Amino acid sequence: MGRYVPHDSLESPRFSGVRTFMRLPNARDLPNSDAVVVGIPFDTGASFRAGARFGPEGIRSASHLLRPYNPLQGIGIFDHISVTDFGDIPIVPGYIEESYEAIRRELEVIHRAGVVPIALGGDHSIALPELRAAAAIHGPLAIVQFDSHADTWDSYFGKRYNHGTVFRRAVEEGVLSPQQSVQVGMRGSLYGASDLEESRRLGFEVMSTQTVRRLGPEETVARIRERVGESKVFVSFDVDFVDPAYAPGTGTPEVGGFTSAEALELLGGLSGIDLIGGDVVEVYPQYDGPAQITSLLAATVAFELLSLLASVKKANVEQSGGTEDGLDH
């Protein structure tokens, strides 16, 4: 069959229809998909504001503004990959470990089918079951984490599972390879110097906001690409990477961050990496105001991740001299 593509917004208005991501079909047809967008409406792991459970809904609504051609990458996404909106994973509100198991179970099925999931969060604690599911199929992963917080505490209020401990747990469980991983954009006040030193001790490369600004986007991207090398890569984008002037609708905002344009430039520079999954997390629509600017940022980040997948698919087909009629599962 043909590719799954969005509804044609030149035939039906973008403000109409059911709110799926970019107006894609709501389908769970993994054999005929290259990638799926999946909602994970979980926020029990949050430590300050609550409400990221409404993030997938807000991101999907804002995504109807997006068009299928990405001028930064020079690619029409759906000319090269078949994508559906997979719907939401049925988490268990208030119960993090039960929700983790539900998330892992569903995402592992997606990875096993050779399909790349792009998740809409949800707070950042969802990254742990995402990584568990991906590593079960692909082995330990490299992560590129765009964030203002390292999320490598050992515990918070004596609890091991929340959005501040997720990447420490991932290293301990062996689902991440920290020597191929990088945390980009760290900034803001800390409980102590050890907050970031723990990340380095675990093996991550830590690039603070000040470091990224000193290096500039080209050198930052070069450092990221050198770090991940040929590894299977998971990209995790916390919207608090961006300054709250551009992304107010988040759970733990930190001033002094990046613009939306700077964030998209860094993401676009990752073209060609072996992306096997990604997410955009910590969107709180109730703090976003009527303009939906944080939701639109998050939708555009997911759009950029799909663009990276489409670029790789296009390059692989061109290199092999084949056609894109079939799916590469």
Side-chain angles (χ1 to χ4, degrees):
M1 65 175 290
R3 296 186 191 89
Y4 284 109
V5 302
H7 290 296
D8 187 346
S9 293
L10 296 178
E11 295 183 358
S12 64
R14 283 180 286 163
F15 53 77
S16 64
V18 176
R19 275 356 211 186
T20 61
F21 187 81
M22 285 188 71
R23 309 187 75 198
L24 286 162
N26 177 205
R28 297 196 165 197
D29 182 6
L30 294 176
N32 292 297
S33 301
D34 294 298
V36 295
V37 177
V38 56
I40 308 181
F42 182 79
D43 62 5
T44 301
S47 59
F48 189 57
R49 291 172 173 171
R53 65 186 62 184
F54 301 111
E57 177 186 356
I59 297 168
R60 286 185 172 110
S61 181
S63 76
H64 281 216
L65 283 165
L66 298 171
R67 304 169 183 88
Y69 184 79
N70 185 333
L72 296 177
Q73 295 286 347
I75 194 166
I77 296 174
F78 306 103
D79 294 338
H80 305 284
I81 57 174
S82 176
V83 187
T84 68
D85 188 320
F86 198 74
D88 286 351
I89 291 175
I91 56 84
V92 186
Y95 295 89
I96 194 165
E97 293 184 60
E98 290 82 354
S99 293
Y100 274 7
E101 178 56 23
I103 295 165
R104 182 209 59 78
R105 184 172 56 247
E106 291 229 24
L107 291 180
E108 190 171 322
V109 171
I110 294 170
H111 283 288
R112 197 173 298 281
V115 177
V116 177
I118 304 298
L120 312 177
D123 70 52
H124 217 160
S125 70
I126 67 170
L128 182 56
E130 289 182 87
L131 293 167
R132 287 172 176 171
I137 308 303
H138 301 288
L141 308 167
I143 192 168
V144 180
Q145 177 192 348
F146 293 99
D147 204 334
S148 63
H149 309 103
D151 299 341
T152 51
W153 289 335
D154 183 48
S155 64
Y156 194 64
F157 284 93
K159 302 300 180 182
R160 290 171 53 80
Y161 298 110
N162 55 71
H163 72 168
T165 65
V166 58
F167 297 114
R168 187 188 188 102
R169 296 288 92 81
V171 172
E172 291 172 347
E173 293 181 15
V175 297
L176 271 189
S177 176
Q179 289 73 26
Q180 281 75 51
S181 298
V182 56
Q183 298 179 315
V184 186
M186 306 297 108
R187 69 178 186 278
S189 57
L190 304 169
Y191 286 111
S194 62
D195 283 2
L196 290 183
E197 288 307 315
E198 278 301 294
S199 286
R200 297 187 176 99
R201 187 188 67 77
L202 289 167
F204 291 101
E205 180 171 358
V206 178
M207 300 179 71
S208 69
T209 292
Q210 292 80 5
T211 297
V212 174
R213 293 205 182 283
R214 175 174 53 82
L215 293 174
E218 289 188 12
E219 181 61 26
T220 297
V221 167
R223 290 265 294 267
I224 294 171
R225 296 175 71 92
E226 180 181 7
R227 182 75 172 181
V228 303
E230 302 299 316
S231 303
K232 304 287 185 183
V233 180
F234 187 96
V235 174
S236 190
F237 191 99
D238 186 326
V239 294
D240 69 28
F241 175 79
V242 173
D243 192 273
Y246 300 88
T250 192
T252 316
E254 297 287 355
V255 300
F258 298 93
T259 68
S260 301
E262 289 170 328
L264 297 180
E265 184 177 5
L266 292 171
L267 277 171
L270 301 181
S271 181
I273 64 170
D274 191 359
L275 183 67
I276 54 80
D279 64 24
V280 54
V281 299
E282 298 284 351
V283 174
Y284 290 65
Q286 67 272 40
Y287 294 101
D288 208 11
Q292 298 179 289
I293 59 174
T294 311
S295 293
L296 181 57
L297 166 69
T300 308
V301 168
F303 170 85
E304 291 293 334
L305 295 176
L306 291 174
S307 300
L308 296 178
L309 293 172
S311 295
V312 169
K313 178 73 175 293
K314 178 184 178 184
N316 288 343
V317 170
E318 289 174 348
Q319 185 175 12
S320 68
T323 66
E324 298 185 62
D325 295 333
L327 297 168
D328 298 336
H329 288 181

